[in-house]
Amino acid sequence: MTATAPSTARARATALLPRLALVLAALLATLFTAAAPATAHAALTASDPTDGAVVATAPAQVTLSFSEQVAMGDDSIRVLDPQGRRVDTGELRDMCSGSTVRYGTALHSGLPHGTYTVAWQAVSADSHPISGAFTFSIGAPSATEVSLPTASAGGGPMGIAYGIARYAAYAGFTVLVGGAAFVLLCWRRGAAERPLQKLVVRAWVTLTTATLAMLVLRTPYTGSGRFADAFDLDGLRAVLETKTGASLVSRLLLLGAAALFVAVLFGVYARRQQHPVTEEDAKDTSDLTFGLAIGGAVISGGIAATWALSEHASTGIQPGLAMPADILHLLAVATWLGGLCALLVALHKSSGIERSAVRRFSRVAFVSVVVLAVTGVYQAWRQTGSWPALTDTAYGRLLLLKVALVAVLLGVAYLSRKWTARLSDLPAEAGLQAAAAAADDVSRETEAVVSRETEPAAAVAVPADPERAAQLARQRAALENAREKRMRNADPDRAGLRRSVLAEAAIAVVLLVVTTILTSTEPGRTVEREAARGSAAPAVPDRAVKITLPFDTRGPNGKGSVRLELDPGRVGANTLHLWAEGADRQGPLDLPEIKVAFTLPAKDIGPLPVLPDRAGPGHWTASGVQLPLAGEWRIDVTVRTSDIDQTTVQKTVKIG
C-alpha cells in the first residue's frame, strides 16, 4: 500500500494538469474577450485650428497631421457648424511633404461666429481604422447641436464581427498549414485517416469563410459601422483598390490552390498510403510527396504573406527584413500549434498512430520553436524599441504575456517529450497486443449481449424487422467504437501523452488569442515616439504662416488690407490663400488683380512669382507653392485697385 501511494498521487497530479490548463485558458480567454479595443498605429499629432482654439477670423481650411501614412477619402474630414450643417467643400487636400503626413479640406467663405465641429476618419498603413473629433470657435464659443462621437472607428458590433473573422482566419490558417505539415512530415499514413481529413478540410472552410467575411465587412468596418453597407458595391470596389483589399483577394486565390492541394493529399496520396505498392509505385509516391511538400510550402508562404504585406510588418522600420521574418514566424506558429492539434486528434480518434510519428513531430516542433524564437526576438526589438516599452506600453505587456505563455507551453511540451520517450522504450507490437487484449474483454462481453438479443429473432422464421435491424447495426457500431476507445485507453503511456498534448493545445488557443490581439495593438516604439514628439518643443512651430498687410493705392477706394496664409509654412510644397478686405472691414474687396512673389535675399533666390487663382469674392488661392530652402523669406504682394492704381506691400517671415 505504501509503495503504491506515491505513484497514485503522481498519477492524480498528472491527470489534473490538463484540467488546470483548461481553466487557465478559459480565464485568459475571458479576460481578452472583455478587453477594450486596441489602438491602431497612426495617430493625430496636430491640427489647424487646434482643439478648443478660438480664432478671430474664419480659417480658409482645416488641416490634420498624422504620425504615419494614412488613407483618406473625400468624406474623411467633415466640418459642421453649430446647427450641424456641413461647411467644408468636401474636397480632400493632400498636403503631404517628405516625412510630414498632412491632409486638409477647404471651408466655405463668410462663416459666422460660433463653435464648429471637425470629425475625421482614416485607415492607418497597417489596415486598422482610426477616427476622432474636436471643436474650434470663430470669434467666440457658442452653443452647438453637434455632439462629439464617443464610438471609435472599428468599434461596436461591426468591430466585434470583424474581430471574430480575424480570429477565425488566424485559427483556420494555423490548423490548415499545421495539419497538412503533420501528415506530410510526421505521419503520411494519416492522410487516409478520416478525423485528420475532417480537421484540415474544416480549417480550409474556416479560413475561406473568414476571408470572405473580412472582405465584405471591410467597407462598414472602416466607414459607417452599419452592416447594411456590406452590400455597397461602390464601397467594395473601393476596398479592392486598397492594400488590404488586394491582400484579401490574393488570399482567396491562394485558397483556391490550397483546395486542390487538399484534394490531392486526401485523394490520390491517401489511397497510395493505404495499400502496399511496388517499387515503381513507391518512387511515384515519393515524387508525389516531394511535389506536395514544395507546393504546400509555396501556398502556405503565400497565404502568410497576405498578412505580412498588409499589417504590422509592412510599416515602421526595416519592412524589407520584417516581412520575410513575419512570414517565417507565421509558418513556424502554424507548423507547431496546428501540428499539435493534428497530433491531439490522432491520439484521441485513432489507435493506430505509430510512435515514430510522435517522435518525428517532436523534432519538427523543436525546429519550429527555434524559428519562432529567432523571428520573435527580432519582431520584439522592432516593435518595442527599448526595455521600458516592455512594461510602459500595452504592446509590451501583451508581448511579455505571450513570452510567458510560450514558456508554459514549452514546459508542458517537455512533459509530452517525456511521454514520447516512454513510448519509444516499449515495443510497438507488444503495446498494441496488450491494448487489443484489453479491448477484446469488452468486445466479448458486449458481443455476448448482442448475440443473446439476436438469437430469438433468428430462431423464429419471420422476416427481419427493419427497425430492429437498424437498432442492431447501431449496437454493433457502438461496440466497435467502444473497442477502439478501449484500445486507445489501454496503453497508459499513450493516454498520458494525450493528456499532455491536450494541455498544450489549450494553452496554444490562448497564445493564438494574444498573438491576434498583438496584431491590432500600437507597437511600443510608436507609442514612445509619439510621447517624445508631444513632449519636445519644436524649434520652429509647425503651423501655417499668417500675416496681414495693409495697403493704399492712393486711388478711389484704394485703402484696405490683404490677409495671407501660407500652409504649412515650411520648405517644400505649400498652399497659399489671400483674402482682401476694404478699409471699413465690412466685406471682401474684389480686386482686379493681385500678385505675390517670394525672395530669399540671403541665398540670392527669387523673386519667385506666384499668380493665385480667384476662388471667390475677395479670395484667391494657389497650390504647390515651392520654397526650396529655409530662411528669412520676403513676401511681396502687389495689389491693383483700378486700371492705374496699384501698390506693392511686403513682409519678411521665417520659413523653417
Side-chain angles (χ1 to χ4, degrees):
M1 292 293 291
T2 56
T4 59
S7 60
T8 304
R10 282 195 299 271
R12 290 178 178 175
T14 305
L16 283 175
L17 181 61
R19 294 180 175 85
L20 292 175
L22 286 173
V23 171
L24 175 64
L27 290 175
L28 289 175
T30 303
L31 172 64
F32 286 111
T33 302
T39 57
H41 288 202
L44 181 69
T45 57
S47 66
D48 187 14
T50 59
D51 184 15
V54 179
V55 296
T57 57
Q61 62 182 354
V62 170
T63 63
L64 306 177
S65 300
F66 296 91
S67 60
E68 293 185 5
Q69 191 58 249
V70 296
M72 304 187 81
D74 288 340
D75 236 14
S76 294
I77 303 176
R78 297 180 297 117
V79 184
L80 309 175
D81 68 7
Q83 287 73 43
R85 297 185 296 263
R86 288 191 65 168
V87 295
D88 61 279
T89 61
E91 178 184 356
L92 184 71
R93 292 181 173 179
D94 186 344
M95 307 166 69
C96 300
S97 176
S99 60
T100 302
V101 180
R102 180 182 284 113
Y103 291 88
T105 184
L107 304 181
H108 295 302
S109 59
L111 295 180
H113 289 186
T115 297
Y116 291 78
T117 302
V118 180
W120 59 271
Q121 187 165 332
V123 179
S124 62
D126 61 355
S127 79
H128 299 289
I130 56 176
S131 63
F134 62 90
T135 62
F136 70 93
S137 301
I138 300 175
S142 69
T144 176
E145 299 178 5
V146 181
S147 58
L148 296 179
T150 56
S152 60
M158 176 55 63
I160 294 175
Y162 195 86
I164 291 174
R166 291 179 67 250
Y167 284 110
Y170 276 112
F173 171 78
T174 300
V175 177
L176 173 63
V177 173
F182 178 80
V183 170
L184 286 174
L185 300 178
C186 305
W187 193 31
R188 295 178 182 176
R189 194 174 61 81
E193 293 288 330
R194 192 68 176 169
L196 278 181
Q197 293 178 356
K198 289 182 178 180
L199 178 71
V200 174
V201 171
R202 287 170 180 170
W204 181 90
V205 172
T206 300
L207 178 55
T208 303
T209 304
T211 303
L212 284 171
M214 293 172 67
L215 185 61
V216 172
L217 296 177
R218 186 69 188 173
T219 298
Y221 173 66
T222 59
S224 65
R226 297 188 299 267
F227 283 95
D229 288 344
F231 305 100
D232 182 4
L233 296 181
D234 292 334
L236 180 60
R237 189 179 302 110
V239 167
L240 296 178
E241 296 174 356
T242 64
K243 181 173 65 173
T244 303
S247 297
L248 292 174
V249 171
S250 300
R251 190 181 303 167
L252 288 174
L253 294 176
L254 288 167
L255 283 170
L260 179 61
F261 168 86
V262 171
V264 174
L265 179 65
F266 295 141
V268 177
Y269 189 77
R271 287 193 294 271
R272 291 190 178 184
Q273 296 297 325
Q274 280 183 298
H275 306 291
V277 294
T278 62
E279 184 176 345
E280 183 178 353
D281 291 338
K283 184 179 183 307
D284 292 340
T285 302
S286 177
D287 293 339
L288 180 58
T289 303
F290 180 78
L292 285 173
I294 296 298
V298 171
I299 295 172
S300 302
I303 296 176
T306 61
W307 274 289
L309 294 173
S310 62
E311 294 193 350
H312 280 190
S314 63
T315 62
I317 63 173
Q318 301 179 348
L321 180 61
M323 286 188 286
D326 194 52
I327 293 173
L328 289 176
H329 192 80
L330 286 172
L331 291 177
V333 170
T335 304
W336 181 23
L337 302 185
L340 195 65
C341 294
L343 176 61
L344 180 61
V345 170
L347 289 171
H348 183 68
K349 296 291 185 180
S350 174
S351 59
I353 181 171
E354 297 87 357
R355 297 164 184 185
S356 58
V358 180
R359 294 197 299 272
R360 280 193 291 270
F361 174 74
S362 181
R363 291 192 291 268
V364 170
F366 175 77
V367 174
S368 299
V369 169
V370 171
V371 175
L372 189 67
V374 173
T375 55
V377 168
Y378 169 73
Q379 287 182 331
W381 168 83
R382 179 177 178 269
Q383 300 291 10
T384 55
S386 66
W387 290 108
L390 287 173
T391 55
D392 296 343
T393 64
Y395 187 93
R397 290 188 289 270
L398 280 171
L399 186 61
L400 290 177
L401 177 59
K402 179 180 177 180
V403 172
L405 286 172
V406 171
V408 174
L409 191 57
L410 290 175
V412 181
Y414 174 75
L415 295 179
S416 297
R417 287 178 64 88
K418 292 184 66 176
W419 284 115
T420 302
R422 293 184 63 177
L423 286 176
S424 60
D425 291 337
L426 294 175
E429 291 299 326
L432 289 177
Q433 288 174 4
D440 284 340
D441 295 339
V442 175
S443 177
R444 283 191 293 269
E445 294 175 5
T446 311
E447 188 66 40
V449 174
V450 174
S451 299
R452 285 196 299 270
E453 292 184 357
T454 55
E455 282 177 2
V460 180
V462 294
D465 184 1
E467 187 174 332
R468 179 59 178 160
Q471 181 182 7
L472 292 175
R474 288 193 297 270
Q475 289 177 345
R476 287 194 173 90
L479 169 66
E480 185 63 26
N481 290 335
R483 183 177 184 276
E484 292 181 358
K485 185 176 181 180
R486 177 56 65 93
M487 285 186 65
R488 293 195 300 268
N489 295 336
D491 187 347
D493 296 328
R494 190 180 299 269
L497 177 61
R498 189 163 61 249
R499 288 193 297 270
S500 64
V501 171
L502 176 61
E504 285 187 72
I507 300 172
V509 170
V510 182
L511 181 61
L512 188 62
V513 171
V514 175
T515 302
T516 307
I517 294 176
L518 273 173
T519 62
S520 59
T521 303
E522 188 172 4
R525 184 185 293 271
T526 304
V527 173
E528 288 192 331
R529 185 174 68 246
E530 294 310 316
R533 180 181 298 179
S535 60
V540 179
D542 185 13
R543 62 182 63 180
V545 173
K546 300 179 181 180
I547 59 175
T548 300
L549 302 171
F551 65 85
D552 184 2
T553 63
R554 303 191 182 279
N557 299 320
K559 290 186 177 182
S561 63
V562 173
R563 184 160 50 89
L564 180 147
E565 180 178 308
L566 186 68
D567 192 21
R570 60 169 53 186
V571 174
N574 292 266
T575 300
L576 176 67
H577 288 275
L578 297 164
W579 294 270
E581 295 179 339
D584 54 3
R585 296 183 178 275
Q586 294 300 314
L589 180 61
D590 210 9
L591 301 172
E593 184 181 27
I594 188 169
K595 296 184 294 185
V596 183
F598 293 86
T599 305
L600 183 60
K603 300 294 184 180
D604 198 21
I605 296 177
L608 306 177
V610 177
L611 296 176
D613 298 321
R614 185 176 182 274
H619 181 202
W620 295 263
T621 182
S623 59
V625 178
Q626 294 286 341
L627 299 180
L629 296 174
E632 300 286 339
W633 284 83
R634 189 184 76 235
I635 304 178
D636 298 284
V637 180
T638 301
V639 177
R640 184 164 61 85
T641 57
S642 69
D643 291 341
I644 59 173
D645 299 317
Q646 77 172 34
T647 186
T648 299
V649 291
Q650 60 184 225
K651 189 167 185 177
T652 299
V653 298
K654 185 175 182 179
I655 303 297

